[in-house]
């Protein structure tokens, strides 16, 4: 599992948890802490980013991610730290806080994605309109419909292994996710799939999609973590939440 750190070595430690599932640590979130008395620590989740092997799903569930975070805290010799997470990273941060509240100074959550059915169905709702007739013809109707079913915990039209290995699905999903992550999402931009402009099926993209589909098919790891629904925080851990009003992926109203 890859990790790095920076900021003020003597500052309060803050773990940065990236989104996804299937994302990776980025430089941008670390810059939010520039000039502050904070020591930031970033970790790439199992199978993600610079962690090896990329795209591995064996032994990869929410409980394992929490264990990796706790092992890193102990490895660094930190008695307590804060955790900052955005989107899926906020879901991971909440689960970590529910398990080990005593080691936390607090949580900073940005545009939380909690893995609820309402959230996932809202996210994927523009998928078929975004594909349009051209995109659906290029991707194939069974694959197009299977992606929509995946986000409703009904991945029955294509075996999940076949979906994870399908380069066309990975390329289309990556472009759709970018369009849906823009302010207002697909509905606001009117973006549509252009098969000729889709990103290449690089090893990084395929690894990202493999991890993402793995967690989507497992209802975002809730069952594997031994929990049901969104973890409740009854421990007095301070929590700050920042939400974008035009966020179509992580809706503040949901």
């Amino acid at each position: 599992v890859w990790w790095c750190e920076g900021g003020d070595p003597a500052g309060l430690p803050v773990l940065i948890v990236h989104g996804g599932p299937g994302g990776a640590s980025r430089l941008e979130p670390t810059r939010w802490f520039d000039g502050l008395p904070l020591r930031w620590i970033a970790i790439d989740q199992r199978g993600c980013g610079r962690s090896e092997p990329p795209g591995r799903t064996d032994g990869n569930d929410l409980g394992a991610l929490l264990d990796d975070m706790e092992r890193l805290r102990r490895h660094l010799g930190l008695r307590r730290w804060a955790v900052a997470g955005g989107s899926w990273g906020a879901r991971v941060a909440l689960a970590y806080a529910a398990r080990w509240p005593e080691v936390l100074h607090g949580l900073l959550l940005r545009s939380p994605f909690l893995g609820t059915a309402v959230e996932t169905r809202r996210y994927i709702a523009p998928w078929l309109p975004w594909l349009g007739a051209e995109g659906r013809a290029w991707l194939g109707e069974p694959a197009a419909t299977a992606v929509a079913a995946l986000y409703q915990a009904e991945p029955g039209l294509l075996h999940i292994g076949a979906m994870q290995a399908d380069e066309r699905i990975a390329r289309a999903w990556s472009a759709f996710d970018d369009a849906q992550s823009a302010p207002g999402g697909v509905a606001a931009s009117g973006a549509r799939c252009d098969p000729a402009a889709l990103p290449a099926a690089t090893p990084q993209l395929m690894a990202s999609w493999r991890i993402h589909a793995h967690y989507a098919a497992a209802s975002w790891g809730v069952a594997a973590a031994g929990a049901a629904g969104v973890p409740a925080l009854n421990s007095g851990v301070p929590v700050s939440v920042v939400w974008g009003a035009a966020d179509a992926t992580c809706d503040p109203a949901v």
Side-chain angles (χ1 to χ4, degrees):
V1 173
W2 179 94
W3 63 276
C4 69
E5 62 177 315
D8 182 354
L12 184 145
V14 179
L15 177 68
I16 302 174
V17 185
H18 66 73
S25 298
R26 300 179 294 115
L27 182 61
E28 180 187 2
T30 70
R31 289 176 171 162
W32 300 338
F33 302 132
D34 285 352
L36 298 175
L38 297 173
R39 171 189 175 188
W40 59 261
I41 302 151
I43 184 172
D44 280 356
Q45 296 160 27
R46 292 190 179 199
C48 299
R50 285 141 290 198
S51 291
E52 297 180 347
R56 180 174 180 174
T57 57
D58 293 344
N60 194 337
D61 56 48
L62 181 54
L65 303 186
L66 305 184
D67 290 340
D68 290 340
M69 292 161 62
E70 180 60 7
R71 274 192 290 267
L72 178 57
R73 182 189 68 83
R74 295 175 183 177
H75 171 75
L76 295 172
L78 300 175
R79 188 174 67 86
R80 297 176 72 192
W81 58 3
V83 177
S87 188
W88 159 256
R91 174 71 180 88
V92 177
L94 279 168
Y96 180 85
R99 183 175 293 186
W100 289 292
E102 69 278 3
V103 305
L104 285 176
H105 289 294
L107 296 175
L108 173 60
L109 308 180
R110 174 185 55 82
S111 297
F113 169 78
L114 304 180
T116 64
V118 172
E119 287 174 296
T120 55
R121 288 172 181 168
R122 182 183 183 278
Y123 165 78
I124 204 62
W127 164 251
L128 294 177
W130 174 81
L131 279 175
E134 184 179 6
R136 290 171 81 151
W138 176 83
L139 187 60
E141 195 63 28
T145 306
V147 172
L150 174 65
Y151 286 86
Q152 300 179 50
E154 302 170 358
L157 298 182
L158 274 183
H159 188 274
I160 186 61
M163 293 185 70
Q164 289 172 309
D166 192 314
E167 292 187 357
R168 291 195 175 196
I169 291 180
R171 294 171 63 199
W173 164 78
S174 179
F176 170 78
D177 188 66
D178 285 346
Q180 188 69 329
S181 297
V186 170
S189 68
R192 292 295 182 266
C193 175
D194 178 0
L198 294 177
T202 63
Q204 294 84 354
L205 187 148
M206 294 305 299
S208 177
W209 165 244
R210 181 174 177 80
I211 296 293
H212 189 88
H214 168 71
Y215 275 92
S219 299
W220 313 104
V222 173
V230 179
L233 289 179
N234 301 314
S235 57
V237 175
V239 181
S240 294
V241 181
V242 179
W243 239 314
D247 192 331
T249 299
C250 306
D251 181 15
V254 175

